[in-house]
Amino acid sequence: MNPRTRPAASRPTAIYLRCYPYDAGFLLDFWGALSHYALEAGLGEATVFLDNGRGSHEPLTALESLLAAAAAGRVSAVVVPGPFVFSLDDERARATVRRFEAAGCAVHELPRPHRRLPAARFAVAR
């Protein structure tokens, strides 16, 4: 069976995180949220790839390893807080998303929290 046609559940999910400058606490918060999202979305437990402390102008070795895994059909989904983790330059970030998608790997962005609006109060005329 071709690895690109296997059911998604049989191909692992990955999480990619990058923070510059280095910030372990901030990444741990996102790691937990992304792990929870992957499980809730039915993507399963995820392997984490970190480039903590690296700017987008530096070699992103974990990202390159993840892209290689996707190209080899070993990863079916990548969960990220947003495309900005790939690059702060929107075009470069979108190009990285396209590289994943071309390899048959879906990129899932963590949904933004919804702000609760106060319940509307209506005056009823009698």
Side-chain angles (χ1 to χ4, degrees):
M1 179 182 283
N2 181 332
R4 294 190 202 279
T5 60
R6 282 187 285 167
S10 69
R11 294 171 55 208
T13 297
I15 290 172
Y16 178 72
L17 288 168
R18 180 180 67 85
C19 186
Y20 181 81
Y22 182 92
D23 187 338
F26 188 66
L27 282 188
L28 285 176
D29 290 342
F30 270 111
W31 185 339
L34 293 169
S35 294
H36 179 75
Y37 172 78
L39 290 172
E40 289 292 315
L43 299 172
E45 290 192 36
T47 302
V48 180
F49 290 76
L50 296 173
D51 277 320
N52 197 5
R54 294 182 182 261
S56 57
H57 61 281
E58 298 178 60
L60 301 176
T61 54
L63 178 58
E64 290 305 320
S65 294
L66 179 53
L67 283 162
R74 293 190 310 266
V75 175
S76 62
V78 176
V79 182
V80 295
F84 61 86
V85 297
F86 303 132
S87 176
L88 293 180
D89 177 85
D90 288 339
E91 277 303 310
R92 287 182 62 197
R94 282 193 294 271
T96 301
V97 169
R98 287 191 298 272
R99 286 179 67 189
F100 278 114
E101 291 171 344
C105 182
V107 177
H108 295 264
E109 187 175 337
L110 185 66
R112 290 194 170 91
H114 294 279
R115 195 177 95 212
R116 290 187 176 228
L117 299 175
R121 299 185 188 256
F122 297 96
V124 178
R126 293 192 186 223

